[in-house]
């Protein structure tokens, strides 16, 4: 028997997510925080983990962590659902509301997991190219909503990988036009401080995603879904049992309880982002797009693939998109610590200044 014939064609066409870290000394590819936990917080986490019962399953509802997150965000505990990173929550949303052949709509380029989730579930991913300034294309999106009646619409806000927040009025219009679920992925909210959270009371088909991965807890894999409690209760039926492990539940709770010690790191990243933007703008043959997140999208006139190879040779890992038609010659660079950003700028300048 040839087991390969059992794999769906759309799965065969996908590529597994892999990262080659060999020889890398500076990692600016994954939009993680460049700062480790403050030592006092780290000690508190380790102390809390000592009392964790490893022989028992974790709390399936992650109640203690949801209470802390609810207080931190400012929403009721029953408006929250936690996942093993936002990736799992995106999969859960697509499972709950999708159907075979049903349309999942999103702009492009954007976070690739929206497309992957739809494909793996036999749904129909439908991407609409962004405008030249990376904003939502109107009236194309409204026409697609009226014609295709998408089951789910995903909007990354700020958008990954372009870094910008879409025009708010356009998103409001999408919420008013859509009869399906609209998901605002606010993974980078800590850096933009722009949110649709106050709109949850107005739109019962709105879901908001947040994450702890961008603010120093990427290794814990804790994603956050926020929505109307009745809607969240239905989505919770699809969640796998014990999906957030005991270590992550304990560590995330302790870290968030020490939020006043973590928050200054976000301010540092924002300040460094603005400084790095000004410095990158001075490099010849380089286009850097404005960002409200913790990363930049770059385009080099001398070739993005060649620049990526040059940076790798110098031990600097950034993100590239060789298979995306709109991003083939572009790179996404995470804001690192000041000294890392200096090394990055020097390496890019050497490449772009070559005769």
């Amino acid at each position: 028997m040839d087991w390969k014939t059992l794999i769906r064609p759309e799965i065969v066409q996908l590529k597994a997510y892999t990262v080659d870290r060999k020889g890398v000394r500076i990692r600016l590819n994954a939009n993680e925080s460049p700062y480790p936990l403050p030592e006092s917080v780290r000690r508190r986490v380790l102390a809390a983990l000592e009392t964790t019962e490893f022989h028992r399953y974790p709390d399936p509802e992650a109640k203690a962590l949801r209470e802390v997150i609810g207080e931190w965000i400012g929403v009721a505990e029953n408006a929250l659902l936690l996942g093993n990173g936002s990736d799992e929550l995106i999969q859960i949303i697509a499972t709950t509301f999708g159907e075979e052949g049903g349309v999942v709509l999103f702009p492009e380029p954007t976070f690739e997991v929206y497309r992957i989730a739809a494909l793996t579930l036999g749904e129909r991913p439908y991407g609409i190219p962004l405008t030249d300034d990376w904003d939502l294309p109107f009236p194309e999106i409204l026409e697609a909503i009226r014609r295709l009646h998408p089951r789910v619409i995903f909007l990354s806000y700020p958008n990954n990988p372009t870094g910008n927040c879409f025009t708010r009025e356009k998103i409001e219009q999408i919420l008013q036009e859509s009869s399906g679920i609209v998901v605002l992925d606010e993974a980078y909210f800590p850096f933009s401080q722009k949110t649709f959270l106050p709109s949850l009371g107005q739109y019962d088909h709105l879901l908001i995603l947040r994450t702890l991965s961008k603010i120093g807890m990427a290794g814990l894999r804790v994603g956050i879904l926020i929505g109307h409690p009745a809607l969240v209760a239905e989505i919770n039926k699809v969640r796998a049992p014990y999906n957030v492990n005991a270590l992550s539940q304990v560590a995330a709770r302790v870290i968030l309880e020490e939020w006043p010690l973590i928050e200054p790191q976000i301010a540092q990243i924002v300040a460094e982002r603005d400084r790095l933007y000004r410095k990158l703008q001075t490099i010849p043959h380089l286009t850097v797009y404005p960002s409200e997140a913790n990363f930049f999208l770059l385009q080099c006139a001398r070739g993005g693939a060649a620049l990526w190879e040059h940076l790798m040779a110098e031990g600097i890992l950034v993100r590239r998109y060789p298979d995306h038609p709109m991003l083939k010659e572009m790179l996404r660079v995470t804001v690192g610590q000041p000294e890392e950003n200096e090394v990055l700028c020097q390496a890019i300048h050497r490449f772009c200044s070559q005769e």
Side-chain angles (χ1 to χ4, degrees):
M1 177 183 177
D2 184 2
W3 56 265
K4 294 180 181 178
T5 62
L6 301 176
I7 304 174
R8 289 168 27 218
E10 58 268 31
I11 303 300
V12 172
Q13 294 173 12
L14 293 175
K15 292 184 178 180
Y17 183 78
T18 59
V19 178
D20 183 6
R21 296 177 177 173
K22 189 186 303 181
V24 171
R25 59 193 177 101
I26 298 177
R27 289 163 49 181
L28 302 175
N29 66 306
N31 299 344
E32 307 150 310
S33 171
Y35 298 107
L37 291 176
E39 185 57 31
S40 61
V41 179
R42 183 175 174 275
R43 287 197 299 268
R44 264 210 67 195
V45 170
L46 293 176
L49 291 177
E50 286 184 353
T51 62
T52 301
E53 296 182 322
F54 296 105
H55 62 297
R56 301 293 187 188
Y57 284 115
D59 175 4
E61 299 287 339
K63 184 174 176 59
L65 179 55
R66 282 195 297 124
E67 289 176 351
V68 171
I69 289 176
E71 184 176 346
W72 176 58
I73 292 177
V75 298
E77 173 201 333
N78 64 353
L80 294 173
L81 182 70
L82 304 185
N84 182 24
S86 294
D87 294 358
E88 184 194 27
L89 294 174
I90 292 165
Q91 192 85 13
I92 289 174
I93 291 169
T95 301
T96 304
F97 301 104
E99 63 180 4
E100 186 174 356
V103 172
V104 175
L105 183 69
F106 44 83
E108 287 193 302
T110 194
F111 188 39
E112 60 192 344
V113 175
Y114 308 149
R115 174 180 291 278
I116 293 171
L119 279 174
T120 56
L121 292 168
E123 298 165 8
R124 180 187 171 193
Y126 193 91
I128 300 179
L130 293 171
T131 63
D132 290 342
D133 59 352
W134 304 128
D135 202 1
L136 294 172
F138 270 41
E140 290 87 347
I141 284 185
L142 292 185
E143 188 277 330
I145 291 173
R146 294 163 183 165
R147 176 170 52 87
L148 300 172
H149 307 289
R151 309 279 297 186
V152 183
I153 300 173
F154 285 104
L155 300 172
S156 178
Y157 184 79
N159 187 46
N160 175 17
T162 59
N164 60 303
C165 286
F166 301 134
T167 300
R168 188 177 184 90
E169 290 74 18
K170 292 183 177 181
I171 296 176
E172 291 278 3
Q173 196 167 351
I174 288 172
L175 284 164
Q176 293 164 14
E177 289 280 344
S178 177
S179 59
I181 298 298
V182 178
V183 183
L184 267 292
D185 188 347
E186 298 183 351
Y188 300 95
F189 162 76
F191 313 104
S192 73
Q193 291 299 302
K194 294 181 179 180
T195 180
F196 275 79
L197 199 61
S199 299
L200 281 174
Q202 183 179 356
Y203 302 105
D204 60 4
H205 63 309
L206 170 63
L207 293 173
I208 291 176
L209 296 179
R210 298 275 182 90
T211 181
L212 303 184
S213 294
K214 314 306 175 186
I215 52 176
M217 293 172 263
L220 301 184
R221 305 298 293 131
V222 177
I224 305 164
L225 181 149
I226 314 165
H228 189 282
L231 185 59
V232 171
E234 293 300 315
I235 300 170
N236 190 39
K237 297 175 183 178
V238 181
R239 176 186 55 81
Y242 313 113
N243 63 323
V244 180
N245 70 79
L247 302 184
S248 292
Q249 289 189 36
V250 170
R253 177 177 53 79
V254 171
I255 294 169
L256 289 176
E257 288 172 348
E258 298 286 352
W259 182 246
L261 297 178
I262 305 298
E263 194 169 20
Q265 294 183 343
I266 297 174
Q268 286 178 280
I269 292 170
V270 171
E272 185 60 16
R273 175 193 70 192
D274 297 342
R275 188 193 72 84
L276 179 59
Y277 177 65
R278 292 191 297 269
K279 186 141 190 173
L280 288 170
Q281 283 185 305
T282 67
I283 299 177
H285 308 296
L286 186 73
T287 300
V288 53
Y289 294 95
S291 174
E292 296 180 80
N294 66 337
F295 59 84
F296 290 105
L297 189 66
L298 308 178
Q299 186 169 16
C300 179
R302 297 186 180 276
L307 175 57
W308 186 87
E309 295 287 353
H310 171 79
L311 293 175
M312 279 296 288
E314 300 211 13
I316 304 170
L317 178 61
V318 302
R319 183 70 188 274
R320 64 171 176 171
Y321 301 88
D323 299 321
H324 197 293
M326 300 175 70
L327 299 172
K328 278 187 176 180
E329 292 301 322
M330 297 189 187
L331 304 177
R332 192 194 67 194
V333 177
T334 306
V335 177
Q337 294 189 25
E339 55 272 23
E340 295 174 324
N341 296 330
E342 283 301 312
V343 174
L344 171 73
C345 287
Q346 292 169 13
I348 294 177
H349 195 280
R350 281 194 293 273
F351 177 83
C352 291
S353 300
Q354 293 174 356
E355 294 298 333

